[in-house]
Amino acid sequence: MSLIVCRDLVKTYSMGETDVHALRGVSLTITAGECVAIMGASGSGKSTVMNILGCLDVPTSGTYELDGVDVSTLGANRLADIRNRKIGFVFQNFNLIPRTTARENVQLPLFYRGIPSREQQALALRALERVGLAGRERHHPSQLSGGQQQRVAIARALVTNPILILADEPTGNLDSQASREIMDMLTRLNTQEKMTIVLVTHEPEIAQYAHRVITMKDGIILSDRPVAESQASPVVMEQAGG
Ligand SMILES: Nc1ncnc2c1ncn2[C@@H]1O[C@H](COP(=O)(O)OP(=O)(O)OP(=O)(O)O)[C@@H](O)[C@H]1O
Ligand SMILES: [Mg+2]
């Protein structure tokens, strides 16, 4: 089933006198259960695509269907609702709230859904367990390593059971060891829990974890290729115990 169908997405920012053509006609279909990496030079439009896929922004023209719903015509409230129910976000800089515990950070999307506090806590603890952070729930972000902070962010993305995880350079601030751990975790969510994942990366080694690599250039898709079976990360299943 097609989870994401984008047709001819155009995004133009007008900056006073000049227009910036961030996207110049991007068409893209992603099937439920895929793990897709988006690559391309700085400024090629990767984050612009991710923001539209994540219902954080709307295209200037073109259509976007998410899970059978044309979201390109929806207003801000409906978009926020879809974001909260269907999408989990992971960012390069983790985006955790400082001076707040790991558990409370993970609870936040549940709080916005109006879920009772007890249930929020129980679900947050379970999500932290899923990312291997049982016992760290009372730590503040500053008391966690970069890799652990990103795992808290993944727990926060997971806790609402989204159908789609969007990760914009999830390993951009991590060393290679922590990067591997985060990619193993994301790949595990994809293979074992059938979660659809779209991630942006600059690093070819990270893109090899995906099934498919889309390369962007100057606001268009330059290539869209499957990752050869033999190139896909060989260690994913062995490390699945976490
Ligand atoms: N809010 C904005 N207003 C004006 N121009 C913007 C805005 N956001 C992005 N752009 C421009 O759109 C183009 C695409 O930006 P985008 O952030 O999508 O690139 P990117 O591929 O994610 O780059 P990077 O790898 O550096 O993160 C760039 O030329 C950028 O300057
Ligand atoms: Mg970007």
Side-chain angles (χ1 to χ4, degrees):
M1 197 202 90
S2 296
L3 181 65
I4 288 172
V5 182
C6 294
R7 291 194 190 88
D8 215 17
L9 293 179
V10 169
K11 183 74 185 181
T12 308
Y13 295 101
S14 65
M15 306 292 292
E17 305 278 277
T18 56
D19 282 347
V20 177
H21 301 282
L23 298 181
R24 298 184 296 135
V26 167
S27 296
L28 176 63
T29 299
I30 294 176
T31 304
E34 276 195 276
C35 180
V36 180
I38 302 181
M39 301 194 74
S42 179
S44 57
K46 305 180 297 295
S47 294
T48 306
V49 166
M50 291 293 269
N51 289 342
I52 293 173
L53 296 184
C55 299
L56 291 161
D57 201 356
V58 289
T60 308
S61 67
T63 60
Y64 171 29
E65 263 174 49
L66 172 62
D67 200 20
V69 177
D70 182 358
V71 295
S72 35
T73 57
L74 299 180
N77 288 345
R78 287 279 291 129
L79 280 182
D81 182 52
I82 287 185
R83 236 175 12 242
N84 194 247
R85 283 189 298 115
K86 299 196 171 176
I87 305 171
F89 293 93
V90 178
F91 302 93
Q92 177 171 2
N93 58 4
F94 323 134
N95 273 17
L96 300 176
I97 301 175
R99 291 183 291 280
T100 303
T101 66
R103 175 174 57 70
E104 288 162 333
N105 268 283
V106 176
Q107 279 178 234
L108 200 62
L110 301 173
F111 169 81
Y112 285 128
R113 282 187 172 191
I115 289 174
S117 165
R118 273 293 169 84
E119 200 179 334
Q120 283 179 31
Q121 293 185 22
L123 290 169
L125 290 178
R126 199 175 314 151
L128 284 167
E129 277 169 24
R130 277 165 81 188
V131 299
L133 285 179
R136 294 288 195 283
E137 56 270 3
R138 290 162 72 162
H139 288 235
H140 289 190
S142 63
Q143 297 167 327
L144 295 167
S145 71
Q148 289 172 333
Q149 289 182 60
Q150 193 59 301
R151 284 196 266 162
V152 173
I154 292 173
R156 181 184 55 189
L158 284 179
V159 75
T160 53
N161 277 323
I163 54 175
L164 172 64
I165 294 213
L166 297 176
D168 198 342
E169 305 214 31
T171 63
N173 284 355
L174 300 176
D175 63 31
S176 52
Q177 162 81 23
S179 296
R180 273 197 299 277
E181 284 171 18
I182 291 300
M183 289 313 299
D184 285 337
M185 180 157 297
L186 289 174
T187 338
R188 188 156 80 242
L189 291 171
N190 174 251
T191 54
Q192 296 182 353
E193 308 196 24
K194 310 281 174 259
M195 213 165 271
T196 309
I197 298 179
V198 182
L199 69 105
V200 167
T201 183
H202 277 112
E203 299 160 75
E205 314 84 70
I206 297 295
Q208 294 308 309
Y209 282 82
H211 305 144
R212 173 178 167 196
V213 179
I214 293 172
T215 306
M216 297 193 61
K217 187 178 186 217
D218 298 335
I220 60 165
I221 291 178
L222 193 65
S223 69
D224 185 344
R225 298 201 182 97
V227 172
E229 198 72 35
S230 60
Q231 286 179 298
S233 167
V235 289
V236 174
M237 295 315 288
E238 280 82 358
Q239 295 190 353

